[in-house]
Amino acid sequence: MPLEPCVYNVPMALDPQTSRIHGLEPALAMARCRAHMQDAQRYTLGPMPVAAFMDTFLKTTSTDRSDLLSPRDAFNAVPERADSAAQVYEPLYRALNKSTKHKARCPGFVFDQAIARSTRPHRLGYAKPHICCFTPENLELVEQADQAARVELGYAELIIQVAADPSLDLFVDPDVDTNDVDLAAHDFIQNASNDRSRHENITRAFGLHISFATEIFARQHRSFLFTVSLAGSLARFIRWDRSGCIVSRAFNIRDDPGSLSEFLWRFSKLTHAQRGHDLTVRAASVQEEELFRDVIKEFVRDQLDGTEDELEKAMSMHYQPGHVAIVLVRSQHSSDRDETPETFLVSRPVVSPLTLDGRSTRGYWSVDTATKHACFLKDTWRTFARPRSEGETLQDLNHLGVRNIPSLAIHGDVLEDPDGTAQDTQTDQFVDEPWARRIGGKDVIVHRRRHYRLVTYTVGYGLQDLRGTEELLHATYDAFVAMQDALAKDKRLHRDLSVGNIILVKEPGRAIRRGYLIDWDASIRVDKEGQALREGRAGTWSFMSARMLSFNHAEYKHTFKDDMESLLYVVLYCALLYLPHRFIAKNLTALYNGFFEEYQDFGPTIYGGVGKTANRADRMWTKLVRFESPALQEWLDTVLNYHSPLVDEREKYRGMWELDKLDAFWSNFLETHELERDNRTVNKISMVSHYDPDSPPTDPPTPPSPSPIPYVDFSSSSSSDIEPDEGPERKRSRLDYAQLARPRSPAPARGSRAAAPPTNVPLRRSQRIRDQQNKSQAASAAATAAPAAGPSSSRQRGATSARSRGRGRGRGRGLGRGRSRK
């Protein structure tokens, strides 16, 4: 039986705490929509003329239109505006599926109301696209699947998302006769900030559209995707890739049914690759799947000392039966395009991309089909302008003998078969087109990205899986050794010390798993003063040094001490979330928000570090928590004093924040202290204040992945944030949109302290309703028994509740305003 030409319904990474899909918590759906809408302002190009859109992206050589159903009056049943989206997509669905024996709107494909299979269609966290386009064979698979699953997004070729009214169209086209002056000032995204209800409706509608596109990319192997957006009867075509999206001008499908009909007919004539599928991934055979399962199971058994049940759970993080694929990797320096690529087996990734643009990295435990050994495969979209890839950097560091870093196996750009051209984004090619309008008063600048794969022989578990204090301090010291070696042997800074970039590997003859410092694609060489070759920040927001987070960050050059500070924050983060201490959940949440996630925006500048700066002065945050491990407490107190001694300790610790001083202390500490080996304790971070009231949570909150929000180097092309040997890079680390809803206090005066921890956590909406009902009943009973009683305090309670509900991302601005980012 021949294998399918492309792979559908790809597994997504699981949350190890809940065994649910990581990053898609239903209760945080609105937070994700808001975040996607903010992102869209900096990567959206439009409005591209409809005919030009089709001629550019849906080229076809077919001249036989005998299978095209006549477009005449095709969509007259679709209302120009309606009271609900259903009143638009239901007649549209019927019109799209209309066919005769030999003619159809989209020959060879069928349309389906995916929204009808949602278990809770009116809740954002459970919603599915209004209309999906499938192959007939894939629609059968979708219909056989559990209704609660989201397989529609794993099989969709195209989606159509609908808003009820043209006023809910996010985009605003200039009039065709607009003069040049007004055209230059025209803003493509409407500013609905003065109408809160419309603002929220637009955010829900198009934010959900972006969410679906993002999830399709995560559930399929794709280089790009087409979707259609409708607001009433006004339609737009959209093409998405890892640089951004291109949006067409709007057209009325009632008055111009031919444009939508032509688009769908052309779409039906495209090959798999022309519809955006990555054909360098194919389904594995039964024998290949068995090989993958056996090798990974044995490797997991070697890495973990656990029961069979624990082994099976660990296997589920890397393997989903029936979903194993072959990934092709070509050597970067191969001069022969006809050379057979190496092949690697993969199944469930440990990291799935949760944003639309950027590196969009997937990470897999994989199996080399030639050696039958386990390895790690990184699938990402690198910045094309960077002359050196991560693999080349890693190869140099391996050659120089840098310790505790991954061992490179193979790396290379992903090439299309059979023509051998590289898989590059295309959105960036249209930034200078005359139809490309400003957004938020700024020109939109996106950068070219190229699909890239890297394989290493080093495979391990994330630092979040640490077993105790001993493993935490040993593994992070191992990373410190790698940092020192890279500086001494290659004059290189890592610049992205984070929880996600240290892995734990069990090695023969070693009782404690070794820490390896991975992800060197943000690294940069230093000058003779030990400073990065160019100014600007890079890395993961939660762990950046206070200096690189500050308002004047663009003037600073990264140094080794910034990386040292980041490593200190990695230890503190892991200790707070995964080791025992005496700190209640609501205070831990406040500390997490104020120390790791705090940020402000001032015009185009995103800055933070207020909490970290305050902690340097008087331990504002860290003095609140005491760890049960005396040794860990001693280590933290000492290293915090090395970094920034308190007033009465300054003489004692003066000059101690140096590489050699920290290394001497840390290495001696590990030799002389007995550390707890198995004292792991998972401490919860509350996300209740960010829950979407329409989508109540399904599970208790779990410790979140650190968020790099706001993105480092947010500005579209700030020259101060571009490294000379790397091009206009915008580093994007593992994201958890649970954190993108993080509220912030109003921007304080420079030098002021971070906000004090909140004294309570808002109740869930359902609980607030029950409490209010109980209070109302009690008030009614009291009023009956004592008519002379004083006035109710319900107004005061209502005001308090409104303030609690009003806490949002804090970055919420008019839809017409842009933001800068990394």
Side-chain angles (χ1 to χ4, degrees):
M1 179 179 176
L3 296 172
E4 285 293 318
C6 52
V7 176
Y8 293 95
N9 201 27
V10 177
M12 290 184 66
L14 295 179
D15 186 322
Q17 302 297 328
T18 65
S19 296
R20 297 174 63 88
I21 298 297
H22 174 70
L24 296 183
E25 167 59 48
L28 295 166
M30 191 60 185
R32 291 192 293 274
C33 286
R34 292 193 181 102
H36 287 316
M37 290 292 282
Q38 289 286 341
D39 287 349
Q41 295 186 47
R42 54 166 176 69
Y43 64 57
T44 302
L45 294 177
M48 189 176 190
V50 172
F53 186 101
M54 288 192 282
D55 290 343
T56 302
F57 300 125
L58 292 95
K59 297 177 182 177
T60 178
T61 58
S62 176
T63 58
D64 181 7
R65 293 173 174 263
S66 60
D67 57 351
L68 172 60
L69 195 65
S70 171
R72 183 177 180 180
D73 299 331
F75 307 111
N76 280 359
V78 177
E80 292 187 356
R81 52 177 36 85
D83 295 327
S84 69
Q87 293 174 341
V88 177
Y89 67 70
E90 287 176 352
L92 176 63
Y93 160 71
R94 291 191 291 270
L96 292 173
N97 273 335
K98 184 178 180 180
S99 64
T100 66
K101 185 176 181 180
H102 300 292
K103 297 175 186 265
R105 300 279 178 227
C106 191
F109 296 87
V110 290
F111 295 89
D112 178 71
Q113 288 189 69
I115 186 67
R117 271 191 304 280
S118 171
T119 55
R120 301 173 183 179
H122 300 295
R123 295 181 173 179
L124 283 181
Y126 301 89
K128 295 180 180 180
H130 293 135
I131 298 174
C132 286
C133 175
F134 300 109
T135 64
E137 299 80 10
N138 285 343
L139 178 57
E140 290 183 12
L141 296 175
V142 169
E143 291 174 337
Q144 294 167 11
D146 188 328
Q147 189 171 352
R150 300 179 66 79
V151 296
E152 293 85 356
L153 298 167
Y155 289 104
E157 300 286 348
L158 170 81
I159 66 167
I160 301 175
Q161 196 64 15
V162 172
D165 193 274
S167 66
L168 299 181
D169 185 2
L170 173 64
F171 305 106
V172 181
D173 296 339
D175 294 335
V176 292
D177 56 353
T178 301
N179 62 59
D180 291 343
V181 175
D182 291 341
L183 191 63
H186 181 84
D187 207 294
F188 187 41
I189 289 184
Q190 67 163 299
N191 188 342
S193 58
N194 294 327
D195 186 338
R196 182 174 179 179
S197 176
R198 185 157 62 95
H199 182 281
E200 284 296 292
N201 286 334
I202 292 173
T203 299
R204 292 172 69 91
F206 201 75
L208 193 59
H209 191 142
I210 304 173
S211 293
F212 291 146
T214 302
E215 194 171 343
I216 289 173
F217 272 106
R219 293 184 182 274
Q220 300 182 30
H221 293 284
R222 280 187 169 273
S223 53
F224 61 90
L225 171 72
F226 291 109
T227 69
V228 179
S229 174
L230 262 75
S233 59
L234 290 182
R236 296 180 186 272
F237 305 137
I238 307 177
R239 183 190 182 277
W240 311 82
D241 64 24
R242 292 309 192 178
S243 281
C245 69
I246 295 177
V247 182
S248 78
R249 286 188 71 95
F251 63 95
N252 194 316
I253 63 173
R254 291 167 56 90
D255 302 332
D256 179 16
S259 290
L260 180 55
S261 296
E262 178 72 10
F263 172 88
L264 295 175
W265 180 80
R266 290 193 185 196
F267 183 83
S268 73
K269 303 304 177 184
L270 301 178
T271 65
H272 291 287
Q274 290 170 334
R275 295 199 306 274
H277 291 284
D278 178 8
L279 301 186
T280 66
V281 182
R282 66 167 176 83
S285 66
V286 173
Q287 294 77 15
E288 289 168 332
E289 177 167 351
E290 290 175 350
L291 171 63
F292 176 85
R293 181 196 62 209
D294 293 345
V295 171
I296 294 298
K297 187 171 185 177
E298 188 61 31
F299 187 80
V300 170
R301 194 189 305 276
D302 289 343
Q303 289 291 307
L304 298 179
D305 298 321
T307 65
E308 282 300 313
D309 288 343
E310 291 171 334
L311 175 62
E312 288 304 316
K313 180 180 179 181
M315 274 291 292
S316 71
M317 305 301 293
H318 309 287
Y319 170 54
Q320 181 172 334
H323 292 269
V324 176
I326 285 280
V327 178
L328 307 184
V329 182
R330 294 181 184 272
S331 174
Q332 183 78 354
H333 301 293
S334 174
S335 58
D336 184 2
R337 290 294 178 100
D338 296 327
E339 179 182 332
T340 302
E342 296 189 27
T343 55
F344 298 85
L345 294 163
V346 302
S347 182
R348 186 184 296 281
V350 294
V351 176
S352 291
L354 298 175
T355 55
L356 193 133
D357 73 319
R359 281 182 171 82
S360 308
T361 299
R362 281 188 178 99
Y364 298 94
W365 283 26
S366 65
V367 173
D368 186 335
T369 59
T371 65
K372 297 179 175 52
H373 290 159
C375 21
F376 186 82
L377 189 151
K378 179 178 180 178
D379 181 286
T380 189
W381 288 78
R382 68 180 183 89
T383 300
F384 179 78
R386 174 178 285 181
R388 288 178 58 80
S389 65
E390 180 185 2
E392 291 170 315
T393 297
L394 194 56
Q395 192 171 41
D396 288 347
L397 296 176
N398 286 161
H399 178 73
L400 292 169
V402 173
R403 292 169 288 175
N404 303 336
I405 64 169
S407 177
L408 179 68
I410 186 175
H411 72 108
D413 294 329
V414 178
L415 306 180
E416 294 279 9
D417 287 325
D419 58 5
T421 58
Q423 287 187 3
D424 288 350
T425 57
Q426 292 189 38
T427 302
D428 48 278
Q429 299 177 22
F430 298 88
V431 293
D432 295 324
E433 288 296 316
W435 47 259
R437 301 272 60 84
R438 294 159 66 87
I439 291 181
K442 299 178 181 179
D443 292 333
V444 177
I445 301 176
V446 295
H447 300 289
R448 181 179 178 184
R449 291 187 175 275
R450 175 164 288 181
H451 201 179
Y452 173 78
R453 291 180 180 135
L454 176 147
V455 180
T456 67
Y457 296 119
T458 309
V459 189
Y461 284 92
L463 188 60
Q464 300 96 320
D465 290 316
L466 62 91
R467 293 167 179 162
T469 303
E470 180 184 48
E471 196 161 64
L472 172 61
L473 292 183
H474 276 271
T476 46
Y477 179 73
D478 292 337
F480 186 48
V481 170
M483 293 161 53
Q484 295 180 70
D485 277 5
L487 182 65
K489 299 179 180 182
D490 197 35
K491 296 183 179 180
R492 183 172 293 276
L493 302 176
H494 186 276
R495 295 202 309 165
D496 192 13
L497 272 293
S498 67
V499 171
N501 284 342
I502 299 174
I503 61 172
L504 304 169
V505 180
K506 183 179 179 181
E507 296 179 345
R510 184 177 166 114
I512 310 165
R513 289 184 289 183
R514 184 183 299 277
Y516 280 80
L517 184 57
I518 65 172
D519 202 356
W520 287 83
D521 55 354
S523 67
I524 188 173
R525 285 197 169 98
V526 298
D527 57 24
K528 60 183 179 181
E529 282 81 29
Q531 297 182 325
L533 294 179
R534 286 291 294 272
E535 301 89 349
R537 55 163 82 121
T540 302
W541 185 267
S542 300
F543 307 106
M544 284 185 199
S545 68
R547 189 177 75 102
M548 298 311 295
L549 289 174
S550 67
F551 188 84
N552 295 320
H553 69 89
E555 303 172 6
Y556 300 144
K557 293 183 177 181
H558 205 101
T559 68
F560 191 83
K561 288 185 178 180
D562 292 307
D563 276 0
M564 287 166 57
E565 185 175 342
S566 294
L567 188 58
L568 167 60
Y569 298 148
V570 169
V571 175
L572 177 61
Y573 176 96
C574 290
L576 288 169
L577 294 186
Y578 305 114
L579 294 177
H581 51 69
R582 294 182 290 277
F583 211 47
I584 61 176
K586 68 177 183 181
N587 291 338
L588 177 61
T589 299
L591 190 158
Y592 180 88
N593 293 347
F595 193 92
F596 293 103
E597 299 296 323
E598 171 270 332
Y599 68 98
Q600 326 292 335
D601 52 359
F602 184 77
T605 302
I606 306 294
Y607 68 99
V610 175
K612 292 173 181 175
T613 301
N615 200 69
R616 291 178 62 174
D618 62 2
R619 306 296 185 265
M620 172 184 173
W621 292 105
T622 54
K623 69 183 179 184
L624 301 175
V625 59
R626 306 303 295 177
F627 292 93
E628 291 185 6
S629 167
L632 175 62
Q633 190 67 57
E634 178 187 345
W635 188 95
L636 281 169
D637 289 343
T638 302
V639 177
L640 284 168
N641 275 324
Y642 270 42
H643 173 239
S644 52
L646 295 172
V647 174
D648 57 351
E649 301 274 10
R650 284 180 181 171
E651 286 304 317
K652 178 180 178 181
Y653 291 100
R654 188 180 302 277
M656 299 303 289
W657 192 240
E658 300 292 341
L659 182 159
D660 57 337
K661 300 288 198 314
L662 180 60
D663 181 71
F665 163 75
W666 202 338
S667 60
N668 180 70
F669 186 92
L670 296 178
E671 292 175 359
T672 58
H673 287 69
E674 184 175 346
L675 303 175
E676 296 83 357
R677 179 164 295 183
D678 296 301
N679 63 332
R680 176 183 176 87
T681 302
V682 176
N683 302 299
K684 308 290 186 179
I685 295 293
S686 173
M687 295 298 297
V688 172
S689 60
H690 310 304
Y691 285 160
D692 176 5
D694 292 334
S695 296
T698 54
D699 289 304
T702 58
S705 297
S707 165
I709 54 104
Y711 299 118
V712 180
D713 223 2
F714 274 53
S715 60
S716 298
S717 61
S718 173
S719 60
S720 63
D721 293 334
I722 298 172
E723 296 117 27
D725 62 337
E726 297 178 354
E729 177 57 299
R730 302 186 225 174
K731 171 75 168 131
R732 185 190 291 271
S733 299
R734 285 143 296 281
L735 285 180
D736 186 340
Y737 269 127
Q739 301 311 308
L740 290 174
R742 181 69 59 200
R744 58 166 174 80
S745 56
R750 291 178 63 184
S752 63
R753 287 190 173 192
T759 57
N760 57 57
V761 177
L763 296 173
R764 295 180 184 176
R765 180 173 179 265
S766 57
Q767 184 61 48
R768 292 199 305 269
I769 293 172
R770 286 194 293 272
D771 288 354
Q772 188 64 38
Q773 290 172 341
N774 293 337
K775 291 174 182 177
S776 297
Q777 293 170 0
S780 298
T784 302
S792 169
S793 61
S794 61
R795 178 176 298 178
Q796 181 178 355
R797 288 195 302 271
T800 301
S801 178
R803 285 194 297 272
S804 297
R805 289 193 301 270
R807 294 172 186 154
R809 285 185 76 208
R811 273 155 61 189
R813 298 189 273 179
L815 290 176
R817 296 189 61 190
R819 67 183 175 93
S820 62
R821 80 145 205 190
K822 149 184 152 181

